[in-house]
Amino acid sequence: MEVQQVLHMNGGVGDTSYANNSVVQRTITTKEMHIVEDAILDLYCMSYPKKLSIVDLGCSSGPNTLFVISHIIDTIEMKCCQLNHLLPEVQMFLNDLPGNDFNTLFSYLPDFYEKLKEEKHVSLAQRLVAGVAVSFYGRLFPSKSLEFIHSSNSLHWLSQVPQGLQNEMGISLNKGNIYIAKTSPPSVFRAYLSQFQRDFYLFLKSRSEEVIGGGRMVLTVTGRGSLDPSECYSQWELMTQTLNDMVSRVEATSQYNHLNPPSFSSKYDQILTY
């Protein structure tokens, strides 16, 4: 099954949901907002358009998405008030993979629209929000149809598992790891680098065809401060250790159950066997 069909953040609004566990992403987005503000103001003051089409790529499903939308709208509104201009119509496109929890995201919209109506006296027709459920590695919109493109903390996700992670015998070259780690050989790093280069080229090519002349794009991506490719991905090593430990426990349990069929005498036995 393709990555694009199964990859998504944990939906809903529960304790383990992305919506309630995305403080780091919110912090990153907050720090970049001055760049978004400068870009959207520069764009608006270039021609004072009556309509703006804006897309947030990799929007996910938590409150961070509406935080970005609200900030962009607030920035435009403040400038219009200063210039005594009518507010332009703003069409916001929220993009993520098909598995994204758009239901929860759109459930926030009635309150969002009501807030705009009460605080800014803006009608629904002036602020339209639509979802686009498809990978951003490829064309999403008609040619020259977007004024502003935004993506934060999303472009580190590749479109597929890189090729070249196994040798000629089909043996994994990165055994025991789920990403680039300190124990990964150089060939694994090159495989991930090659996949990123292909994906990023396709991303930029697609956006260049969709954005208008003079349009703006703000991208926030993960970086590192040294040549060590595993430097900024220590969290993946921690997750790898956790998953390896879980697999070991399952294997140990399976071997035990093969020799001693469980009696299911307790809830613990049932959970462990499962």
Side-chain angles (χ1 to χ4, degrees), residues 62-90:
N64 292 350
T65 302
L66 296 185
F67 169 74
V68 174
I69 295 176
S70 298
H71 193 88
I72 290 175
I73 291 177
D74 287 345
T75 300
I76 296 173
E77 182 198 27
M78 290 177 60
K79 192 62 176 180
C80 288
C81 289
Q82 293 175 1
L83 300 174
N84 197 27
H85 286 180
L86 293 176
L87 294 175
E89 292 184 1
V90 178

Side-chain angles (χ1 to χ4, degrees), residues 216-229:
R216 300 293 189 274
M217 181 166 65
V218 176
L219 308 176
T220 304
V221 297
T222 303
R224 52 188 169 88
S226 76
L227 295 178
D228 181 4

